[in-house]
Amino acid sequence: MALNVKKDTVVYQIYPRSFKDTDGNGVGDIRGIIEKLDYIASLGVNVIWLSPIYKSPNDDNGYDIADYTSIQPEFGTMEDFDELVAEARTRGIGIVMDLVINHTSDEHEWFKRALAGEEKYRNYYIIAKGENGKLPNNWGNFFAECPWAKFSDNEDEYYLHLFSKKQPDLNWHNPDVLEEVKSIMRFWLDRGVVGFRCDVINVIYKNSLANGKKQLVLTGREHYLSTEGCHDILRTLRKEVLEPYGAWAVGETVFVDISGAKDLCAPERGELDMVFYFEHMECDQVFVKWFKTRLAPKKLMKTLTKWQNALPWNACYFENHDQPRFISRFEDLGAYRKEASKMMAGLLMTMRGTPFVYEGQEIGMTNGDFENLDEVMDIESHNIYAMAKGLGIPKGIRWKMIKRTSRDNARTPMQWTGNKNADFTNGTPWLKINANSKEVNVKAEMEDPKGVLAFWKQMIALRKSNEILADGSFKVVCERKRVYAFERELDGQKLLSICNMSGKKVFLPSFVKDWKHTVVSNYQETDPTHMKPFEFRLMAQKEVKS
Ligand code: ISL
């Protein structure tokens, strides 16, 4: 399948645990994905990114891998996987796997053998001695834990884990680790996958274990963010593994800034095809993501523009399995859930880059309706809650923090119908299903030709068929308090994308009068002087077929 990932591709991310359960264990599975392939194809996407489906003790829902070449039994078998690849291919869809190589599970054979004292495997991990009862360094941890855990009881030895205690970091100074990863990637490429989403890829290579300069979050990160060692590894993986298979890679790059992103995805450097940056996810936070504030649309616009202008090409996304649902961030969402979701579809499909749609986004799913911490499963949420308790933050505020920021907000099961358990499972769902599944579900959307789903499909189809959207340049023309507008241009042909990012009626900017034709809008009727709440329009100077 020769797809130009930069122009023709629209990716759909599946969080397998929450997609569709076919065996009644309350957890989604591969057969569920196969069952829904016609639905996925009907969206018009041509790549599925699967969050991890490898064998895992599930400390971090599969991002703790115990065996990179076997399938998590609750998700199915390797035969199911092969069938998924083949069935997807017949529908013109390629599969992208999640490659988690900063760490393994502590239940991985390598770690077990390291614990058993095998020198070869000790050297796969980052093991360091503490001195005089102290930890090896002052680093922080992504999940608000101590990043060092005792490696052996009798010695003052620790292993590094930037994520949970059950996710020991791999030692990328060891060439054997690189060889192992090459063969893991080839294993999946030989089974027909078309690329990889590389988890926290810019932290894999630690320059040194020296103390870091004190920071509010992640002290020590200057020693491992986008190091030369990491760039070298990426170049090797591209040249020796990805290129021969014609495969591609998107990197999840934490704390990445523009110059870092340029280094990681400049085509001539031969590393990644694109990266997921985080800055636009942080427009409604103070210092750290657990302290949310109002989403100021202008801040969001400025961030999007900055990134659109900086890189010739990049990944575009508003949702994934780690982020709250985007439309839930709008404080004035009110009764405009549908309009806002459609506006975000318009925005996502008209920006320059490869669009990534996260399961449920296409029907306007909202944050989970959790009522207390017992209903939340995510390790990060529990750790943060405990940390906040330790800091003396009152219970009510602690809960508010988690409710708004928990990664489980995006992990609630897919809402297929308004029936019991949204027809996600016949058993007990692993995570509470949102009560709004009665109204917000795929079945209801399929019956509504003017609904949210229909609009997402329309925008995806347009993104794929329209050359200007696929390849045109990007130029911002308006960043008002509420209104964002930009032009896309190719060979003198232009389109104008304009969004009202608020629940209020606003004046239509005067320059819009030069754009005579509305190609698409999320409202049936548009007004010559105003934009309605969360209105989106794609406009042209000459008539364009939508
Ligand atoms: O959500 C986050 C940032 O806002 C972080 O909590 C997240 O851990 C970070 O983005 C890295 O994410 C990736 O690696 C983690 C895994 O828990 C996440 O699900 C994954 O996307 C560790 O493998």
Side-chain angles (χ1 to χ4, degrees), residues 54-72:
Y54 318 96
K55 196 160 179 247
S56 163
N58 268 336
D59 192 50
D60 185 19
N61 287 356
Y63 282 88
D64 47 322
I65 300 172
D67 183 349
Y68 287 91
T69 53
S70 43
I71 303 287
Q72 172 76 340

Side-chain angles (χ1 to χ4, degrees), residues 60 63 103 143 197 199-200 252 289 321-322 380 407:
D60 185 19
Y63 282 88
H103 43 264
F143 287 165
R197 174 267 185 188
D199 190 64
V200 288
E252 187 214 24
K289 69 168 187 175
H321 64 292
D322 289 335
E380 184 192 65
R407 304 191 298 181

Side-chain angles (χ1 to χ4, degrees), residues 437-451:
S437 57
K438 295 272 166 298
E439 306 86 49
V440 182
N441 61 68
V442 172
K443 182 163 184 283
E445 284 295 337
M446 301 253 250
E447 288 158 4
D448 181 2
K450 299 197 167 61

Side-chain angles (χ1 to χ4, degrees), residues 12-23:
Y12 187 70
Q13 182 194 351
I14 292 183
Y15 196 67
R17 228 182 148 65
S18 299
F19 195 62
K20 172 69 186 166
D21 176 24
T22 57
D23 59 7

